[in-house]
Amino acid sequence: MACSIVQFCSFQDLQSARDFLFPQLREETPGALRRDPSKTSNWEDDSWGAWEETEPQEPEEEGNTSKTQKHSWLQECVLSLSPTSDLMVIAREQKAAFLVPKWKHSDKGKEEMQFAVGWSGSVSAEEGEYVTSALCIPLASQKRSSTGRPDWTCIVVGFTSGYVRFYTESGVLLLAQLLNEDRVLQLKCRTYEIPRHPGVTEQNEELSILYPAAIVTIDGFSLFQSLRACRNQVAKAAASGNENIQPPPLAYKKWGLQDIDTIIDHASIGIMTLSPFDQMKTASNIGGFNAAIKNSPPAMSQYITVGSSPFTGFFYALEGSTQPLLSHVALAVASKLTSALFSAASGWLGWKSKHEEETVQKQKPKMEPATPLAVRFGLPDSRRHGESICLSPCNTLAAVTDDFGRVILLDVARGIAIRMWKGYRDAQIGWIQIVEDLHERVPEKGDFSPFGNTQGPSRVAQFLVIYAPRRGILEVWSTQQGPRVGAFNVGKHCRLLYPGYKIMGLNNVTSQSWQPQTYQICLVDPVSASVKVVNVPFHLALSDKKSERAKDLHLVKKLAALLRAKSPRPDSFEAEIKELILDIKYPATKKQALESILASDRVSFSCLRNVTQTSMDTLKNQELESVDEGLLQFCASKLKLLHLYESVSQLNTLDFHSDTPFSDNDLAVLLRLDDKELLKLRALLEKYKQENTKATVRFSEDADGVLPVKTFLEYLDYEKDALSIRKTSEEECVALGSFFFWKCLHGESSTEDMCHTLESAGLSPQQLLSLLLSVWLSKEKDILDKPQSVCCLHTMLSLLSKMKVAIDETWDSQSVSPWWQQMRMACIQSENNGAALLSAHVGHSVAAQMSSSATDKKFSQMVLDADAEALTDSWEALSLDTEYWKLLLRQLEDCLILQTLLHSRASPPAAKASSPQTEPLPRLSVKKLLEGGKGGIADSVAKWIFKQDLSPELLKCANREKDVENPDEPREDLLRLAYEQFPCSLELDVLHAHCCWEYVVQWNKDPEEARFLVRSIEHLRHILNPHVQNGISLMMWNTFLVKRFSAATYLMDKVGKSPKDRLCRRDVGMSDTALTSFLGSCLDLLQTSLEADISRDEVQVPVLDTEDAWLSVEGPTSIVELALEQKPIHYPLVEHHSILCSILYAAMSFSLKSVKPLALFDSKGKNAFFKDLTSIQLLPSGEMDPNFISVRQQFLLKVVSAAVQAQHSKDRDPSARAADTHGQDLNWTALAVDLAHHLQVSEDVIRRHYVGELYSYGADLLGEEAILQVQDKEVLASQLLVLTGQRLAHALFHTQTKEGMELLARLPPTLCTWLKAMNPQDLQNTGVPVAATAKLVHKVMELLPEKHGQYSLALHLIEAVEAMATL
């Protein structure tokens, strides 16, 4: 029972608030090289600039400074937390973030409160003003049914401009007032507290505002009413926008502080009344010994300031000497509908238009003059400068920090320093007030003080908390002259928050019925993102040597040291522990000591039992009135647990072995199965054992069914004479269950004795059943290896079912038994399907046996004839529990087959398995399948297919009948078994649809894996039903493809060529190679959609069925159901996108330059792109502009040239080959001709160009085949004639042999002139044989008509070629 610091709550995302207040500290990704390859960010993120070149790194010293600032940033902020923990404000300069608490599950699974940013924005209204101070003031609710929580929290913010503004939790400005033209130094608040003694003056609520030379105090009641009125006005203005209600006036006082140089902080002590002696002393000091003294001492408001000259100043303002200044509130409504200014004597300001704001800034409101208030006395220390002052909760003491690293304790009433601490530079201080708990008092002999019994008044202790950030230590000191009672290492970047007030709006009547949960002091740690509170027990203030509590704590520390001893003496160890326990007086401390002994690993069981028994005997021997009931019950419950532990341990250590032989026939009879069913069960479990590779969970403490006594005591507890299991994890339940039942399940311990022992100890049958099933289901591997354990489970379950309150005697067979429902629920939730199936068979058998015996008993009293057996059979058949057992057995069998399939291993390991394919699949349970929706089963199998990377053809082959001659591999055999078990859920179209979706989802996570998208399209093509095919393709396009496709289009249109890798990664989120494959897959998907739309009307919509055992599935809608809900596509629009996709794919495949895809379409065509494929868009129609047709024709000619070059170029580089791998099987010429048809370009022009390119590359045979498809043979002949001339010109002019020159001299002059005009450089292949050229010339002669102008030239060419052939 010492000081402790515990985490109160945490921050959900403190970094977001820091990044908002300190943009320069925002962490940015430095570049692509530092990106984690395992975590590919979403391509839609705005952080595309991360792929740009990185900035040069800063020097190391600046990096260290930045690192320190990342942790110490909270020291530069204005921080305030509401006393009720409803709101936290973090502000800096002109920005502020409001954090609100939310209950969320932590990493450990427990609920905890976390602060999350509820509002953030700018709170400054004038240029150049900064936030200097802030307060979060909770306002009490005035409703009679209030539970003690505040109605709402007001945020008060002070600025350098002198303004004080009030906000709601959502950042709406309520009020704004300019009370002084100087900057606001500090805001402090005082709320109502019930006086502890009749003579203490009752203090009023107030808000005090400190300026460099003035103090303004606002009356709390007036402020409370004004804030409520303004909040109501905001709500009305938000609803109507026209209502303007004048708030009530606000009462405040303004004091001008004199005779002091600098003021840094202040404390408003409140109203004080002097005693007659102090009154005479004060009057003599001020007016001399002749000063007149009033009969009644005047009431004064006391203020203390810290700063310089004097170091601390004491001010006293007589009540009633000056009239309080009344000012009307100016309401500021943060609404777009209202923008009004209300001005009163004090000048409240609100939201203004720009013109009005400029006017207000030029003409500031008139300031009320301050009432002069001279310092009465102080602590004059010219070298010391005060930094902060913190008033104690009872207004009697104040702690002051200075620039010398001192903390000084002041007596407020006497005005003197009574204590000083050294070595606390930049210290942050606060107070904790602890009220004594009367129940913890222990009467002491000879003590007749009112505090010596449990009926006297509660004492109050005050502790000073000092946080030294430079040392990273938090200390707790007992005041006034007490010792340090606690110290904690907390880090060097924390902030200590001490509000010093509670809830505003309470009075002496309402505060008595309220029990608000408020904290006194807390520590905010930005490094661990947590808020911690300090707990101090009251007894630490009792520093007298005779304190029994202090003596008990010393004994507890001595006991802890004894338990931690490395080698305790076994002979005297127990005696020392007993002596220490008996010497402890306080019951709570004695309970704490016993708990530490019971939780120790170093104490033997016999020692624990003896110590607890001794404590129990000592309590029983005491007088009845002085015995603590809680401690007595604690000892009694622990003794019962220890006796139970001893009994169970003895049963587990007995040498017990069952000699009863166990055969398959016995197992069949036990489980009520015939031979065929038993063989089927054995086969299923054998396959499951072979494929199940999960490692079983083992605990060191239950390896042999042994559990340490310490752990045993932690798991169990006695409550009201009933033994209960504490809320433990699944692993802890298994450990406890193993201690009880593991030996029994192995036949090494007596099952009957164990059940009797546990039942007599007070454990309910339901708890025992839960523990038994936890052990059985968790130790699946051991159970499957030992079939005899099934018999032991049957015996154990029968005994548990026969216990009292296990099965209600009034239970009717036509209703569901909670007992069996508990067992079925455990089997449904288990992921160990083999053990669950066996336990379900055992449960079904025991339930049927008990139902039969109950039915026999019932009917034996009613019917004695020969038909009794028939009636019994009919009664069993109508049992509702029996039907539920049959359904569960079918579900578990299905789940077992599916689990076996999903954990089957591929015989040859995948050559290129990516990281998603190597991740293990999650285990299945009946519950997961029931909650997975109608597509849950197919989705699980699709994940397995993705992991195995099975081809769609293999799925189709596995669905056929088994071939006896060619046996399947184990995977296909298991898959065929799953098909038979799930004929509806794993129907081929359904399975292909889920596989298609699984592959595309995995591709979206890592777009570099282009083969995933290719495989997804393959599965899409294997879907036979066009309705499903249409829906899946449309969902894939809308969800994953269209955004990347549009980004690729705009990028290519922007750069005017195939973009480089860096640009592709930045804009599309994938490399250039992956983008090429992506565009090819998009083209395949669009073509598949067009084909599916054509055959939609010929095929009916499929009916999705479900197996009888899985009719009760619930959960998300399946992929196939969503696909069938999709609208049919608009065929022309999809075709329009297909044209664009073909253009992009061609440009990327051949790295074409000077290509702007969108420039090939008019405005109608551009506007139709990337719209919903089911919508009807305005598409281009009619004749196209010749300019567009010309550009389109040039592009298609480029594509044909690039395609021919890729096929026939001898010197193409490896990168070109890699880029062409995906489209190598695509007939680009046919695609270009098809595009020409849709783009209104002459198809014959494309075909003629293709023929010319083939001959240019020397592929004459392919050229001859391509000529057959050309329509205008005459134009083609003219083009080929030029190509022939280029070949001859190269042969005659570039080789320049003697024979060639002679031949050239014999040629006609016209032909020579024509040949010289030819440019052989246009030829791609100049090494074509002369015979091939001769054949080409004859082909030209066939195509040219005799009347053609170049016919004679062709004749001369034939002669020239024949002459060259003879050379």
Side-chain angles (χ1 to χ4, degrees):
M1 299 180 66
C3 271
S4 62
I5 180 168
V6 296
Q7 181 170 325
F8 169 63
C9 61
S10 60
F11 291 94
Q12 183 176 337
D13 189 8
L14 187 61
Q15 185 176 353
S16 61
R18 186 201 69 181
D19 294 345
F20 172 70
L21 298 173
F22 295 84
Q24 70 275 12
L25 297 182
R26 185 174 294 131
E27 296 180 359
E28 297 180 357
T29 305
L33 297 177
R34 297 188 184 179
R35 179 170 295 187
D36 188 355
S38 64
K39 296 180 180 178
T40 306
S41 62
N42 191 356
W43 74 279
E44 301 177 31
D45 292 344
D46 295 330
S47 58
W48 293 344
W51 293 97
E52 298 290 350
E53 295 182 359
T54 58
E55 296 293 333
Q57 294 185 354
E58 297 293 333
E60 186 177 357
E61 294 183 0
E62 296 184 8
N64 293 336
T65 305
S66 176
K67 183 178 180 180
T68 304
Q69 191 178 10
K70 285 182 180 180
H71 295 301
S72 63
W73 62 275
L74 204 61
Q75 305 292 342
E76 304 176 21
C77 298
V78 176
L79 190 63
S80 178
L81 177 61
S82 168
T84 56
S85 308
D86 289 335
L87 188 72
M88 178 182 285
V89 173
I90 307 177
R92 176 179 178 265
E93 295 182 352
Q94 299 179 342
K95 299 178 181 178
F98 297 172
L99 285 75
V100 294
K102 296 180 180 179
W103 287 97
K104 291 199 173 182
H105 286 280
S106 64
D107 298 336
K108 300 179 180 179
K110 298 180 180 179
E111 281 196 351
E112 66 174 8
M113 191 170 73
Q114 296 182 352
F115 277 105
V117 177
W119 179 88
S120 60
S122 176
V123 292
S124 62
E126 291 192 354
E127 184 178 356
E129 67 173 3
Y130 292 154
V131 176
T132 58
S133 183
L135 286 181
C136 298
I137 304 178
L139 302 181
S141 174
Q142 294 188 331
K143 298 179 180 179
R144 293 185 178 181
S145 61
S146 177
T147 58
R149 300 297 298 170
D151 187 16
W152 62 291
T153 302
C154 178
I155 298 96
V156 188
V157 184
F159 294 88
T160 54
S161 60
Y163 275 100
V164 179
R165 296 186 175 91
F166 300 80
Y167 300 86
T168 64
E169 303 100 322
S170 57
V172 177
L173 178 62
L174 294 178
L175 304 173
Q177 187 176 27
L178 184 64
L179 298 171
N180 201 26
E181 292 187 353
D182 289 335
R183 60 180 289 159
V184 176
L185 296 180
Q186 194 63 258
L187 296 172
K188 292 196 175 181
C189 180
R190 182 174 67 242
T191 54
Y192 179 79
E193 289 285 341
I194 301 177
R196 291 186 56 237
H197 306 293
V200 178
T201 306
E202 191 177 72
Q203 301 296 335
N204 296 325
E205 296 181 322
E206 71 171 15
L207 173 67
S208 59
I209 308 167
L210 178 66
Y211 294 93
I215 287 181
V216 175
T217 60
I218 302 176
D219 179 64
F221 177 77
S222 174
L223 178 62
F224 179 76
Q225 298 296 334
S226 298
L227 291 176
R228 287 185 63 247
C230 293
R231 188 165 177 263
N232 295 336
Q233 173 66 11
V234 167
K236 293 179 181 178
S240 62
N242 298 322
E243 246 183 290
N244 295 326
I245 300 177
Q246 188 74 8
L250 192 71
Y252 72 92
K253 299 177 183 178
K254 184 176 181 181
W255 304 101
L257 306 181
Q258 297 179 344
D259 303 329
I260 190 167
D261 286 355
T262 307
I263 301 176
I264 302 299
D265 199 358
H266 79 292
S268 176
I269 312 302
I271 300 174
M272 59 175 296
T273 304
L274 297 177
S275 63
F277 176 78
D278 289 338
Q279 181 188 5
M280 288 187 289
K281 182 183 68 172
T282 303
S284 300
N285 290 334
I286 296 176
F289 59 90
N290 291 324
I293 299 175
K294 296 181 180 180
N295 295 331
S296 60
M300 296 179 293
S301 296
Q302 183 182 5
Y303 304 98
I304 303 177
T305 62
V306 295
S308 60
S309 300
F311 163 60
T312 57
F314 291 77
F315 297 85
Y316 296 87
L318 295 176
E319 290 295 322
S321 60
T322 57
Q323 282 295 110
L325 304 171
L326 294 181
S327 174
H328 287 55
V329 180
L331 180 64
V333 180
S335 173
K336 297 180 181 179
L337 303 176
T338 58
S339 172
L341 172 68
F342 298 98
S343 299
S346 59
W348 291 90
L349 300 178
W351 297 85
K352 317 296 296 173
S353 63
K354 291 184 178 179
H355 176 70
E356 291 174 342
E357 284 182 357
E358 294 175 358
T359 306
V360 173
Q361 290 177 359
K362 293 178 182 178
Q363 299 179 358
K364 289 192 175 182
K366 181 181 179 182
M367 296 293 102
E368 297 286 353
T371 303
L373 186 64
V375 61
R376 178 169 294 184
F377 64 90
L379 300 179
D381 191 338
S382 59
R383 296 178 55 196
R384 192 182 304 273
H385 298 271
E387 294 181 345
S388 65
I389 183 172
C390 186
L391 186 65
S392 68
C394 61
N395 290 3
T396 58
L397 301 174
V400 180
T401 63
D402 58 30
D403 58 345
F404 287 171
R406 309 293 199 264
V407 177
I408 302 174
L409 189 64
L410 297 180
D411 188 324
V412 171
R414 294 186 292 168
I416 60 174
I418 58 178
R419 191 172 184 181
M420 178 183 291
W421 291 269
K422 298 181 180 181
Y424 294 91
R425 193 171 297 276
D426 300 331
Q428 301 172 27
I429 51 180
W431 292 88
I432 294 180
Q433 180 172 280
I434 306 297
V435 180
E436 181 187 18
D437 188 359
L438 294 178
H439 298 287
E440 294 185 359
R441 285 187 183 174
V442 173
E444 298 179 4
K445 296 180 179 180
D447 189 357
F448 300 101
S449 69
F451 302 106
N453 57 74
T454 57
Q455 303 300 324
S458 297
R459 293 173 287 184
V460 175
Q462 295 187 90
F463 297 91
L464 179 64
V465 181
I466 306 175
Y467 168 56
R470 298 203 177 191
R471 291 189 290 160
I473 190 172
L474 183 78
E475 298 180 346
V476 182
W477 291 82
S478 177
T479 56
Q480 300 180 10
Q481 302 296 332
R484 188 178 76 172
V485 297
F488 309 95
N489 291 318
V490 294
K492 298 183 178 182
H493 308 292
C494 304
R495 283 287 296 272
L496 188 68
L497 298 183
Y498 172 69
Y501 58 91
K502 293 183 180 178
I503 299 179
M504 179 174 283
L506 301 179
N507 51 41
N508 57 353
V509 178
T510 57
S511 61
Q512 294 179 1
S513 60
W514 275 50
Q515 297 294 332
Q517 298 294 327
T518 58
Y519 74 94
Q520 295 191 56
I521 195 168
C522 70
L523 188 76
V524 180
D525 187 358
V527 178
S528 62
S530 61
V531 181
K532 303 174 182 178
V533 293
V534 182
N535 296 327
V536 184
F538 174 81
H539 67 82
L540 293 180
L542 305 175
S543 59
D544 56 303
K545 297 180 180 180
K546 296 182 180 180
S547 173
E548 292 289 346
R549 179 65 62 85
K551 181 181 177 182
D552 285 355
L553 288 178
H554 174 71
L555 294 174
V556 170
K557 291 181 180 178
K558 188 175 180 180
L559 176 63
L562 182 63
L563 294 176
R564 289 195 302 266
K566 292 184 179 180
S567 56
R569 292 173 294 175
D571 52 348
S572 61
F573 185 62
E574 182 177 335
E576 291 180 11
I577 292 179
K578 287 182 180 179
E579 183 181 356
L580 290 173
I581 289 293
L582 294 177
D583 287 344
I584 297 176
K585 303 299 181 184
Y586 274 77
T589 312
K590 181 172 291 189
K591 182 180 178 182
Q592 179 187 0
L594 285 172
E595 287 175 345
S596 64
I597 296 172
L598 294 171
S600 175
D601 294 324
R602 307 171 67 85
V603 184
S604 63
F605 169 77
S606 60
C607 181
L608 288 177
R609 183 188 56 196
N610 295 337
V611 169
T612 310
Q613 186 66 53
T614 303
S615 303
M616 184 78 174
D617 297 340
T618 305
L619 289 173
K620 288 183 178 180
N621 294 332
Q622 292 180 358
E623 297 180 2
L624 187 61
E625 296 178 355
S626 60
V627 174
D628 186 79
E629 288 293 332
L631 182 59
L632 186 63
Q633 293 178 3
F634 175 79
C635 293
S637 64
K638 294 303 177 183
L639 271 178
K640 291 180 181 178
L641 292 176
L642 290 172
H643 289 319
L644 175 61
Y645 180 83
E646 185 178 17
S647 302
V648 175
S649 299
Q650 290 176 356
L651 288 174
N652 287 335
T653 53
L654 292 177
D655 190 10
F656 178 87
H657 292 284
S658 178
D659 298 331
T660 306
F662 189 76
S663 62
D664 289 348
N665 188 30
D666 296 334
L667 183 61
V669 173
L670 194 67
L671 299 182
R672 299 195 172 209
L673 299 175
D674 55 26
D675 295 339
K676 184 179 180 181
E677 292 173 339
L678 184 62
L679 286 175
K680 180 182 179 183
L681 178 62
R682 280 189 175 279
L684 289 177
L685 291 177
E686 193 62 32
K687 288 182 181 180
Y688 178 73
K689 282 172 56 179
Q690 292 175 1
E691 302 296 345
N692 189 14
T693 59
K694 180 188 175 186
T696 55
V697 180
R698 289 189 176 273
F699 300 92
S700 59
E701 63 266 18
D702 69 290
D704 298 320
V706 177
L707 190 69
V709 63
K710 168 201 168 187
T711 312
F712 179 80
L713 295 175
E714 290 175 354
Y715 293 167
L716 296 176
D717 195 10
Y718 262 102
E719 292 181 0
K720 298 179 181 179
D721 297 332
L723 188 59
S724 62
I725 302 173
R726 295 179 181 176
K727 291 182 178 180
T728 55
S729 64
E730 182 63 27
E731 293 81 3
E732 293 169 344
C733 286
V734 172
L736 183 59
S738 299
F739 178 62
F740 287 153
F741 303 119
W742 187 238
K743 295 283 187 179
C744 298
L745 291 175
H746 276 262
E748 300 174 3
S749 180
S750 174
T751 306
E752 293 80 1
D753 294 343
M754 183 64 70
C755 289
H756 177 71
T757 301
L758 296 176
E759 183 182 13
S760 59
L763 277 168
S764 66
Q766 287 76 14
Q767 292 175 333
L768 294 176
L769 178 62
S770 177
L771 291 176
L772 176 62
L773 292 176
S774 297
V775 179
W776 179 269
L777 296 174
S778 65
K779 298 188 178 293
E780 182 182 60
K781 187 175 182 181
D782 298 324
I783 289 167
L784 295 179
D785 292 338
K786 191 171 184 180
Q788 189 178 357
S789 58
V790 177
C791 179
C792 299
L793 177 65
H794 189 281
T795 305
M796 180 72 70
L797 189 59
S798 300
L799 291 173
L800 292 180
S801 303
K802 294 175 182 178
M803 287 184 181
K804 294 181 180 179
V805 306
I807 300 178
D808 193 357
E809 296 180 355
T810 61
W811 168 69
D812 183 12
S813 61
Q814 297 307 303
S815 60
V816 178
S817 170
W819 172 260
W820 298 121
Q821 183 63 24
Q822 177 187 354
M823 185 173 182
R824 286 194 294 267
M825 189 56 63
C827 296
I828 287 174
Q829 295 175 351
S830 175
E831 295 179 355
N832 298 317
N833 299 285
L837 181 60
L838 282 176
S839 62
H841 274 292
V842 172
H844 177 222
S845 174
V846 175
Q849 177 184 345
M850 297 190 66
S851 177
S852 299
S853 61
T855 307
D856 291 342
K857 182 179 179 181
K858 184 174 181 180
F859 275 84
S860 63
Q861 299 174 0
M862 298 172 58
V863 182
L864 299 176
D865 55 5
D867 295 333
E869 185 177 355
L871 289 172
T872 303
D873 294 338
S874 64
W875 187 273
E876 268 191 30
L878 293 174
S879 174
L880 190 59
D881 265 318
T882 305
E883 296 303 316
Y884 275 115
W885 278 118
K886 291 179 180 178
L887 176 63
L888 176 62
L889 289 173
R890 175 66 190 278
Q891 291 174 340
L892 284 171
E893 183 180 326
D894 292 351
C895 192
L896 183 73
I897 293 173
L898 200 58
Q899 183 72 70
T900 307
L901 173 68
L902 298 189
H903 282 79
S904 61
R905 300 177 295 277
S907 45
K912 295 182 179 180
S914 61
S915 56
Q917 290 177 312
T918 57
E919 295 178 359
L921 291 173
R923 296 185 63 83
L924 294 179
S925 66
V926 175
K927 181 182 179 183
K928 288 183 179 179
L929 292 181
L930 289 174
E931 295 176 351
K934 290 186 176 181
I937 297 172
D939 185 61
S940 302
V941 178
K943 285 179 169 35
W944 173 77
I945 292 172
F946 166 76
K947 183 181 177 183
Q948 303 289 338
D949 202 15
L950 302 181
S951 66
E953 290 294 336
L954 184 61
L955 302 184
K956 189 176 181 181
C957 294
N959 198 31
R960 298 171 185 165
E961 294 184 3
K962 191 170 183 178
D963 191 356
V964 181
E965 297 179 358
N966 300 320
D968 297 333
E969 62 174 89
R971 286 187 307 175
E972 295 185 30
D973 190 23
L974 290 172
L975 190 58
R976 179 176 287 106
L977 185 60
Y979 283 150
E980 295 173 358
Q981 203 75 12
F982 300 98
C984 301
S985 298
L986 295 183
E987 195 266 332
L988 265 184
D989 273 3
V990 175
L991 187 57
H992 279 304
H994 280 272
C995 290
C996 172
W997 193 259
E998 178 66 23
Y999 271 102
V1000 76
V1001 167
Q1002 296 295 338
W1003 167 82
N1004 188 59
K1005 295 178 181 178
D1006 186 7
E1008 292 301 313
E1009 294 285 351
R1011 58 193 179 93
F1012 289 168
L1013 185 58
V1014 173
R1015 183 56 64 89
S1016 176
I1017 302 298
E1018 290 179 13
H1019 280 285
L1020 179 65
R1021 288 186 175 276
H1022 277 77
I1023 298 176
L1024 300 179
N1025 191 285
H1027 297 275
V1028 180
Q1029 201 176 42
N1030 171 78
I1032 294 292
S1033 60
L1034 191 60
M1035 289 163 59
M1036 287 175 59
W1037 176 261
N1038 292 332
T1039 308
F1040 302 108
L1041 304 182
V1042 65
K1043 290 186 178 180
R1044 294 184 190 271
F1045 181 69
S1046 62
T1049 304
Y1050 291 128
L1051 173 62
M1052 199 176 300
D1053 195 69
K1054 179 181 178 181
V1055 299
K1057 59 180 180 179
S1058 59
K1060 295 182 179 180
D1061 185 80
R1062 182 179 65 86
L1063 294 176
C1064 293
R1065 293 183 184 273
R1066 187 192 69 181
D1067 285 14
V1068 193
M1070 63 181 76
S1071 64
D1072 54 350
T1073 306
L1075 179 59
T1076 305
S1077 177
F1078 165 73
L1079 293 173
S1081 298
C1082 288
L1083 181 59
D1084 293 340
L1085 181 134
L1086 293 172
Q1087 292 295 336
T1088 305
S1089 298
L1090 294 173
E1091 295 170 5
D1093 188 67
I1094 294 174
S1095 56
R1096 271 177 64 93
D1097 297 335
E1098 302 174 1
V1099 182
Q1100 294 182 351
V1101 178
V1103 178
L1104 302 178
D1105 294 328
T1106 309
E1107 292 78 13
D1108 295 340
W1110 302 97
L1111 291 175
S1112 59
V1113 293
E1114 296 178 354
T1117 309
S1118 69
I1119 295 297
V1120 180
E1121 289 176 326
L1122 291 175
L1124 295 177
E1125 293 174 0
Q1126 304 298 315
K1127 299 178 181 178
I1129 61 170
H1130 183 48
Y1131 190 94
L1133 183 59
V1134 177
E1135 193 175 43
H1136 188 58
H1137 281 82
S1138 177
I1139 295 171
L1140 175 63
C1141 189
S1142 302
I1143 294 171
L1144 297 178
Y1145 186 34
M1148 285 299 299
S1149 298
F1150 303 117
S1151 300
L1152 301 182
K1153 297 182 179 180
S1154 302
V1155 176
K1156 287 184 174 291
L1158 296 181
L1160 304 179
F1161 300 91
D1162 58 4
S1163 58
K1164 291 182 181 178
K1166 293 178 183 178
N1167 293 334
F1169 285 131
F1170 320 125
K1171 299 294 176 61
D1172 186 5
L1173 297 183
T1174 61
S1175 61
I1176 300 177
Q1177 301 292 330
L1178 188 61
L1179 296 173
S1181 60
E1183 293 295 329
M1184 184 60 65
D1185 188 349
N1187 295 327
F1188 280 105
I1189 296 178
S1190 175
V1191 175
R1192 292 174 176 179
Q1193 180 174 314
Q1194 292 177 9
F1195 170 75
L1196 294 178
L1197 295 180
K1198 283 183 181 180
V1199 172
V1200 173
S1201 300
V1204 176
Q1205 179 185 2
Q1207 291 177 4
H1208 302 284
S1209 178
K1210 295 180 181 179
D1211 56 347
R1212 63 177 182 175
D1213 54 347
S1215 61
R1217 284 197 188 97
D1220 191 45
T1221 52
H1222 183 269
Q1224 60 186 357
D1225 297 332
L1226 189 62
N1227 189 344
W1228 286 102
T1229 306
L1231 180 63
V1233 172
D1234 186 59
L1235 285 176
H1237 171 70
H1238 291 95
L1239 295 176
Q1240 300 184 12
V1241 176
S1242 173
E1243 302 172 29
D1244 208 48
V1245 173
I1246 307 301
R1247 293 191 181 99
R1248 292 199 303 267
H1249 182 73
Y1250 176 57
V1251 173
E1253 288 294 315
L1254 289 176
Y1255 278 106
S1256 178
Y1257 278 94
D1260 290 18
L1261 296 178
L1262 294 176
E1264 290 180 13
E1265 295 178 3
I1267 289 175
L1268 301 176
Q1269 299 179 359
V1270 177
Q1271 301 293 331
D1272 194 344
K1273 301 287 196 306
E1274 185 176 340
V1275 177
L1276 176 62
S1278 299
Q1279 295 175 351
L1280 294 179
L1281 190 66
V1282 174
L1283 197 141
T1284 306
Q1286 292 173 348
R1287 288 185 179 183
L1288 289 177
H1290 180 273
L1292 294 175
F1293 296 114
H1294 289 270
T1295 56
Q1296 293 185 355
T1297 60
K1298 180 180 179 182
E1299 293 81 1
M1301 292 299 102
E1302 293 176 355
L1303 175 62
L1304 186 62
R1306 292 197 301 268
L1307 293 178
T1310 307
L1311 182 59
C1312 290
T1313 306
W1314 185 77
L1315 288 175
K1316 290 180 181 180
M1318 294 294 102
N1319 184 11
Q1321 294 181 355
D1322 293 341
L1323 290 173
Q1324 301 296 333
N1325 186 1
T1326 56
V1328 181
V1330 178
T1333 306
K1335 192 174 181 180
L1336 174 60
V1337 175
H1338 284 90
K1339 191 68 176 178
V1340 171
M1341 286 296 298
E1342 294 176 9
L1343 299 177
L1344 279 177
E1346 295 182 1
K1347 296 181 180 180
H1348 196 275
Q1350 294 179 330
Y1351 189 80
S1352 59
L1353 185 61
L1355 291 175
H1356 293 312
L1357 280 175
I1358 290 178
E1359 297 175 359
V1361 171
E1362 290 177 352
M1364 289 181 64
T1366 59
L1367 293 178

